[in-house]
Amino acid sequence: MVKSLLVRAHAKINFYLNVTGKRPDGYHDIETVFHSIGLHDDVTLRRLSKPEILIQCNHPSVPCDAQNLGYRAAQLLMIHTDSRYGVDISIKKRIPPAGGLAGGSANAAAVLRGMNELFEFGLSQPELMCLGLQLGADVPFCLLGGAAIGRGVGEILTPLPALKETHLLLTNQGIEVRTGWAFQHLHFALTNRPLDDIIVRGFLEHGDRRGLAENMYNCLEIPVFLKFPDIEALKCELASCHGSYGALMSGSGATVFSVMQDAASADQVSAGLSERFAFCTTTTTSSVGLSLA
C-alpha cells in the first residue's frame, strides 16, 4: 500500500475574464478562459494512522491551519468518505500567494486528487470537482486542467484545445490582491467590454498566439490598477518589451503575464527583472500530477 505521494499543483492564468453580474448569494457570474501553466507547487501527502490533519508550508504568509485550502480540502474529503485515517500535508510554494494564479485552489485540487489516490477512495473526476467547488470557484478547473471556458462562478467548464508550450513570462512585485476585494470594487459603469470571449476562444482554438495575446481582456484590471498603479505600469512595460505579443493581469492580480515569441525572448526580458519576481514558463495540458514521494 502506497504511504505517500508527491502531487504537482499547477497554476492557471486567464486569457479572458469578464464579470457579467452579481448573484443573490453575493458571488459574481463570470465568463473566463482558463489555461494551466507549468509553474506549480509541490504538495507531498503522507498517510497517518489517526484521523488528523497536519500541514506545513515553506511560505511565511501561507496559513498552516484550517484557513489553508489544502487543509480544508483534506477535512472535506475525510468527512465525505468517513475516513479512519489522517494525512500529513507538506506544501512547497512556488506560486505567489494572492497573485491571481489560483495557488490556493491548486493546492486544494492536489489534496483532493492525491488523497483520492493515496487512500483509494475511488471518487470520480466529477465527484472531486463537485467537492472542490465547495472550497473555491477555481478548484474545479485546477482538477480539470488544460484549457477551458468557465461560466457561472467559474465552475461551469467547457474544455478547449490547449496551447502547446506557448512561452510565458510571469511577473509579480510582491503585492497581494485579495480576490474578494477586487470583485467588491468593480464598478460595472466603468467596465467597457470591447471584446467577446468568443474572439479569444477562436484564436486559442486555432493556436494563434499573437492573435490571442493582442485580444486578451480582464475587467478586474480596472479596480486593481486604480489602487495599484505599479501593476498597470508593469503590464505596459511587459506589453512593449522585445518579443512580447501582449500582456495581461491574471485573475484578480497581482501577477502580470506576457505571451512571448520564444524562450530566448522570455529569458532575456526576465534577466532585466531580477529585482522582481519573474518566472519563465509555458502553457501546459496538466492539472495535477501524481508520483511516489
Side-chain angles (χ1 to χ4, degrees):
M1 181 180 292
V2 176
K3 294 184 178 180
S4 62
L5 280 177
L6 173 63
V7 190
R8 296 183 301 278
H10 286 272
K12 62 79 184 167
I13 55 174
N14 304 80
F15 284 122
Y16 177 92
L17 176 57
N18 186 52
V19 180
T20 59
K22 192 169 184 179
R23 300 154 57 106
D25 60 8
Y27 289 93
H28 292 77
D29 284 314
I30 66 170
E31 295 175 346
T32 190
V33 176
F34 292 114
H35 208 297
S36 299
I37 61 175
L39 177 63
H40 66 276
D41 293 341
D42 286 336
V43 180
T44 302
L45 306 174
R46 293 183 176 86
R47 180 195 298 268
L48 298 177
S49 58
K50 297 187 296 184
E52 61 179 339
I53 302 170
L54 304 177
I55 188 165
Q56 57 182 319
C57 180
N58 67 330
H59 197 290
S61 72
V62 175
C64 291
D65 54 23
Q67 298 180 68
N68 187 291
L69 274 180
Y71 184 106
R72 290 168 54 195
Q75 187 177 53
L76 179 63
L77 198 54
M78 288 167 64
I79 293 171
H80 182 76
T81 59
D82 195 24
S83 174
R84 297 181 293 108
Y85 301 100
V87 64
D88 184 346
I89 304 168
S90 178
I91 302 172
K92 181 178 180 181
K93 290 295 291 182
R94 296 185 182 90
I95 307 170
L101 301 173
S105 294
N107 293 163
V111 171
L112 290 175
R113 177 71 58 75
M115 285 186 65
N116 189 49
E117 179 76 14
L118 188 63
F119 294 93
E120 299 179 346
F121 289 140
L123 299 177
S124 67
Q125 173 90 330
E127 288 176 305
L128 291 175
M129 291 171 70
C130 185
L131 288 172
L133 182 58
Q134 298 180 44
L135 301 165
D138 288 338
V139 179
F141 173 73
C142 290
L143 283 161
L144 178 69
I149 184 166
R151 290 195 172 90
V153 297
E155 87 286 9
I156 304 172
L157 297 168
T158 303
L160 295 171
L163 290 174
K164 295 181 179 179
E165 291 195 355
T166 295
H167 293 280
L168 304 168
L169 176 61
L170 276 63
T171 53
N172 186 296
Q173 297 165 302
I175 300 170
E176 295 189 2
V177 180
R178 298 297 170 182
T179 301
W181 177 91
F183 277 91
Q184 289 169 9
H185 289 80
L186 178 66
H187 300 289
F188 286 99
L190 300 177
T191 304
N192 178 25
R193 180 167 62 98
L195 299 168
D196 192 276
D197 67 285
I198 295 175
I199 297 174
V200 172
R201 287 166 55 195
F203 286 116
L204 181 63
E205 289 168 344
H206 288 89
D208 185 343
R209 297 171 176 82
R210 182 186 291 273
L212 173 67
E214 291 176 349
N215 288 279
M216 298 185 299
Y217 176 73
N218 183 350
C219 72
L220 291 180
E221 289 183 337
I222 297 170
V224 173
F225 288 177
L226 284 173
K227 183 174 177 61
F228 304 104
D230 286 350
I231 301 176
E232 181 177 20
L234 179 59
K235 176 189 173 181
C236 293
E237 179 182 350
L238 287 185
S240 61
C241 70
H242 173 72
S244 172
Y245 289 147
L248 191 72
M249 184 183 79
S250 182
S252 56
T255 302
V256 177
F257 69 91
S258 177
V259 179
M260 303 298 294
Q261 179 179 346
D262 50 39
S265 298
D267 290 338
Q268 181 179 357
V269 176
S270 175
L273 296 170
S274 57
E275 75 281 5
R276 289 168 282 186
F277 171 88
F279 191 94
C280 298
T281 188
T282 63
T283 54
T284 181
T285 59
S286 299
S287 52
V288 291
L290 308 177
S291 60
L292 294 178

